[in-house]
Amino acid sequence: MITKEMTIGEVLRINRETARILTAAGMHCLGCPHSQGESLEEACAVHGVDVNDLVKKLNDFLG
């Protein structure tokens, strides 16, 4: 289960296909250093994305 405390890097390690959802949400630098240390919540705040909506989409995708 994906949580808002996880980093983008952690999410990608669970399933690389989640990259499509992250890029659709406006997070295009998935390989940048911030993706390894920044939580989804922090990244969403920077990109103006609703973290709860993104977490739901990621978990729905993972089934």
Side-chain angles (χ1 to χ4, degrees):
M1 183 167 130
I2 305 295
T3 68
K4 63 184 177 182
E5 292 82 21
M6 296 175 88
T7 65
I8 292 171
E10 290 172 324
V11 173
L12 292 171
R13 281 191 291 280
I14 289 170
N15 185 324
R16 299 289 297 170
E17 295 299 313
T18 57
R20 292 185 284 160
I21 295 166
L22 294 167
T23 55
M27 297 181 189
H28 299 283
C29 58
L30 301 178
C32 74
H34 290 291
S35 71
Q36 299 304 312
E38 202 172 47
S39 71
L40 280 177
E41 187 169 37
E42 292 166 328
C44 284
V46 169
H47 292 281
V49 175
D50 182 298
V51 68
N52 295 315
D53 182 51
L54 180 60
V55 168
K56 181 180 181 332
K57 286 178 184 175
L58 289 166
N59 282 316
D60 288 348
F61 173 76
L62 294 174

